[in-house]
Amino acid sequence: MAPRECEICHVNRAQILRPKNHARICAPCFTALFEQEVAETVESSKLFQPGERVAIGASGGKDSTVLASVLKTLNERQNWGLDLVLLSIDEGITGYRDHSLEAVKRNAEDLALPLKIVSYQELYGWSMDQVVAQIGKKGNCTYCGVFRRQALDRGAAMLGVGHVVTGHNADDVAETVLMNLLRGDLPRLSRATSIVTSTPSAAKAKSADGKVMITNVKRSKPMIYAYEKEIVMYAHHKKLDYFSTECIYSPEAFRGSARTLVKNLERIRAESILDVVKSGMDMARLVPQVQDAVPEEVEMTGGCGDAKESGGEMAAMERKLRQDEEAEANGIETEIQLARPSKSDRTEDTPNAETIALTAANDHPDGQNHDRDQLAPVTLPNRTKKQKPAVRGADKRTLPPKQKLGQCEKCGYLSSQAVCKACMLLEGLNKARPQTGIEVG
Amino acid sequence: MAEHASIPLTIEFTGGLELLFSNQRKHQVELPSSNRSPNVADLITYLCDKLMKDPRKDMFVLDGTVRPGILVLINDADWELEGQETYQLQPRDEIVFVSTLHGG
């Protein structure tokens, strides 16, 4: 075999083939290059201010583990003077989050960074296990998304932090761009491609002396141009310890189809991932500036059921969820092929059994023709059934009415409604809560 | 070229793949070599047929090749640099399969 040496140092043997340019480089040159590129993204976008206190959204997974390690390294090397802290959200999902939190704690120790864990239980009185026990596995990802967004902001407020960074990578953004392209949701697409989301979200956090702190929380994605493959390789060669399982309640749903598409695309032409990201950014510039008053749901890095909704749709959704109390779940899944017969209205016919992630060979009968990857766990019933009329009616797709920013009357969180989404969901949950306080098994 | 009856290899599964292989990350494998040198394709077939205890073969292999999203390292180098499935295995090679298909 012809000896292949690193194209950069010409000394070591080549170990990595870079997707974006097919460069063949050794591991030490690779890790240096990876760090350098993140530094360039940060500095060219002017993401940080010297002395800024920044919270790293840390799940214990590969992206946030690498993000924390790289930022810590760069902070020292580039003298950014940042005050870094890890912020982790405990949704209360046994068998998933409890394990990944262990990974985050190890990260915190290894990097010598402070760690703050904010749990749904303490914030809302509900863990996701309890939510699922209450409402079943339909719509639970919506709850999780709404709760998470507030949890991150509130956690940031508790820490006195105005800037949260997340480990979104190029593959994530490419998936989101494709997903929203397939749905025809250009405004959402454009928001997904911003490296910085400056949300005017106000979290009312109660400090020890009962004072109310309101902060504006900025969100950014320093690894937005980093390939998922390279993040994994970085973690491998630096021997970083991370947690790697899907949320047990996540069926992947629509994002799963986009993810499969991206992975297959990567095989054929790896540069496409970054090209899609850049196309997305170009498209974003074409989108008329909509009054983006309502904070969007947090997009999980990979794996999470799609929980992105916009303000008005959320209210309609809430009503739907209340109506669906009898567990009459919708059978429709927002998938690439639209022409499903009305059979999809009846849950009973559709094999909607949720499966644990990683489960393949799901119960789809052979006759069914699914565009998306057969391996993706069976989908949640569609929480976006309302999109069916939307597909026909062009009106729903135009600019949402201008929303006025106000504060939720219950919790003070920034909202365009009188009561914010999280409080609305909680109301529903609490009303249905049995008096005897049944514990989740 | 293999004159051994079998080739000893160290196989590692990470990124969640270990779940398919009895929850064990590292495996010492003796790959039977019959009369020609086995390559990585042969290894993958062997792993699916003999080592994988989980019935979900398609989490690992899809359409005759490793599922997109699973990285393969041969002696700590990207398998694309070594000829992917055609790489001929040597005794005591270390093959690592890393899945990237999970949340971050």
Side-chain angles (χ1 to χ4, degrees):
Chain A
M1 227 166 284
R4 276 180 218 95
E5 25 162 71
C6 170
E7 288 174 8
I8 298 180
C9 68
H10 303 288
V11 173
N12 303 321
R13 68 176 175 124
Q15 291 169 275
I16 286 118
L17 179 63
R18 299 204 73 192
K20 70 188 209 180
N21 55 15
H22 304 280
R24 294 157 183 255
I25 57 183
C26 65
C29 286
F30 166 69
T31 51
L33 201 51
F34 185 87
E35 289 161 6
Q36 189 188 313
E37 288 176 1
V38 174
E40 276 164 16
T41 305
V42 164
E43 285 166 3
S44 65
S45 313
K46 298 193 183 30
L47 285 187
F48 300 133
Q49 308 297 320
E52 196 177 0
R53 200 156 144 77
V54 175
I56 303 173
S59 64
K62 61 185 179 357
D63 300 312
S64 52
T65 299
V66 167
L67 178 66
S69 172
V70 170
L71 285 184
K72 161 109 188 183
T73 303
L74 290 176
N75 189 30
E76 283 157 21
R77 186 186 300 161
Q78 313 284 111
N79 288 316
W80 287 336
L82 300 174
D83 183 7
L84 294 174
V85 59
L86 294 177
L87 175 59
S88 199
I89 308 297
D90 180 6
E91 303 95 337
I93 300 174
T94 315
Y96 169 65
R97 189 52 79 199
D98 45 0
H99 292 156
S100 75
L101 281 179
E102 293 309 310
V104 184
K105 287 176 192 163
R106 288 196 293 270
N107 286 348
E109 266 177 48
D110 295 339
L111 297 171
L113 289 177
L115 166 65
K116 168 111 191 124
I117 300 178
V118 174
S119 76
Y120 285 7
Q121 187 65 56
E122 72 184 80
L123 276 182
Y124 308 116
W126 284 82
S127 70
M128 276 315 293
D129 283 344
Q130 291 168 342
V131 172
V132 172
Q134 175 88 355
I135 65 162
K137 289 179 192 173
K138 60 165 173 54
N140 48 300
C141 295
T142 302
Y143 282 76
C144 198
V146 173
F147 287 167
R148 176 191 315 282
R149 175 174 237 294
Q150 285 210 11
L152 270 175
D153 286 347
R154 286 170 195 272
M158 286 179 210
L159 290 168
V161 154
H163 191 167
V164 175
V165 294
T166 53
H168 288 85
N169 59 46
D171 296 53
D172 293 325
V173 177
E175 278 166 39
T176 308
V177 168
L178 288 171
M179 252 168 58
N180 287 300
L181 199 61
L182 292 168
R183 283 172 159 160
D185 192 341
L186 212 48
R188 191 177 293 281
L189 188 159
S190 75
R191 290 197 295 272
T193 52
S194 345
I195 189 174
V196 180
T197 325
S198 186
T199 51
S201 54
K204 195 187 219 174
K206 299 176 211 116
S207 66
D209 48 82
K211 278 221 180 84
V212 162
M213 304 176 310
I214 310 257
T215 60
N216 280 356
V217 180
K218 194 166 97 164
R219 298 278 186 93
S220 56
K221 310 169 180 123
M223 298 201 305
I224 193 175
Y225 297 119
Y227 274 76
E228 183 172 62
K229 171 180 171 182
E230 296 200 326
I231 288 174
V232 172
M233 284 293 97
Y234 185 89
H236 174 85
H237 288 288
K238 288 282 222 184
K239 302 198 186 339
L240 299 179
D241 169 27
Y242 62 87
F243 178 73
S244 50
T245 309
E246 297 276 7
C247 174
I248 57 176
Y249 296 130
S250 117
E252 291 231 35
F254 194 44
R255 179 174 283 278
S257 322
R259 164 178 278 180
T260 307
L261 187 54
V262 167
K263 286 292 130 186
N264 287 329
L265 205 55
E266 187 180 22
R267 278 237 164 146
I268 304 169
R269 183 179 179 271
E271 303 89 312
S272 300
I273 293 183
L274 265 185
D275 288 344
V276 170
V277 172
K278 290 184 177 154
S279 300
M281 290 175 170
D282 289 341
M283 281 191 270
R285 283 189 263 278
L286 300 171
V287 174
Q289 284 309 307
V290 176
Q291 179 92 8
D292 183 13
V294 182
E296 56 187 279
E297 312 318 332
V298 177
E299 305 158 30
M300 277 211 67
T301 45
C304 190
D306 187 20
K308 297 192 276 288
E309 310 284 355
S310 67
E313 293 173 352
M314 190 63 222
M317 163 63 45
E318 233 289 299
R319 257 178 276 121
K320 261 257 154 310
L321 286 176
R322 290 213 195 96
Q323 285 161 17
D324 287 350
E325 206 85 27
E326 307 81 323
E328 175 81 5
N330 303 329
I332 318 165
E333 133 91 1
T334 315
E335 48 177 281
I336 299 171
Q337 51 201 52
L338 295 174
R340 286 300 284 294
S342 56
K343 157 188 178 151
S344 49
D345 286 340
R346 295 284 104 217
T347 321
E348 293 78 9
D349 302 340
T350 326
N352 258 333
E354 313 74 19
T355 58
I356 297 173
L358 281 195
T359 300
N362 55 47
D363 14 302
H364 285 172
D366 305 321
Q368 300 216 10
N369 169 31
H370 283 275
D371 229 7
R372 67 186 137 78
D373 188 14
Q374 297 278 348
L375 304 172
V378 181
T379 58
L380 272 186
N382 182 28
R383 285 163 279 102
T384 53
K385 182 183 177 183
K386 66 207 170 324
Q387 287 197 7
K388 241 177 51 172
V391 169
R392 291 195 294 269
D395 334 56
K396 298 249 167 98
R397 306 240 131 204
T398 51
L399 307 179
K402 295 238 158 120
Q403 292 161 329
K404 236 179 45 161
L405 281 181
Q407 280 188 328
C408 168
E409 29 187 67
K410 297 208 162 186
C411 68
Y413 195 72
L414 192 90
S415 175
S416 58
Q417 324 287 332
V419 178
C420 75
K421 295 173 214 177
C423 287
M424 280 202 312
L425 293 179
L426 281 173
E427 225 177 279
L429 286 174
N430 287 325
K431 274 194 193 127
R433 189 165 225 174
Q435 304 296 6
T436 46
I438 294 168
E439 286 304 300
V440 174
Chain B
M1 306 319 122
E3 269 125 19
H4 316 265
S6 66
I7 302 189
L9 301 165
T10 304
I11 313 291
E12 193 177 340
F13 300 103
T14 66
L17 281 177
E18 59 270 32
L19 292 173
L20 301 173
F21 293 91
S22 324
N23 248 307
Q24 193 183 322
R25 280 176 65 148
K26 279 204 167 166
H27 297 254
Q28 298 301 326
V29 162
E30 291 282 338
L31 185 66
S33 65
S34 56
N35 47 8
R36 64 168 180 83
S37 313
N39 56 25
V40 175
D42 300 320
L43 172 66
I44 290 170
T45 309
Y46 175 86
L47 291 174
C48 269
D49 294 344
K50 299 284 190 291
L51 200 62
M52 197 188 294
K53 298 302 174 217
D54 199 295
R56 299 169 290 180
K57 308 275 185 235
D58 40 15
M59 297 302 309
F60 183 53
V61 170
L62 197 56
D63 289 333
T65 183
V66 164
R67 188 174 169 183
I70 296 180
L71 307 179
V72 186
L73 299 178
I74 300 173
N75 299 324
D76 225 27
D78 192 324
W79 75 333
E80 286 185 62
L81 296 173
E82 303 286 354
Q84 290 198 32
E85 276 118 337
T86 64
Y87 169 81
Q88 292 195 333
L89 295 161
Q90 303 298 313
R92 282 169 296 283
D93 273 347
E94 290 181 18
I95 320 288
V96 181
F97 296 92
V98 191
S99 172
T100 67
L101 303 168
H102 49 81

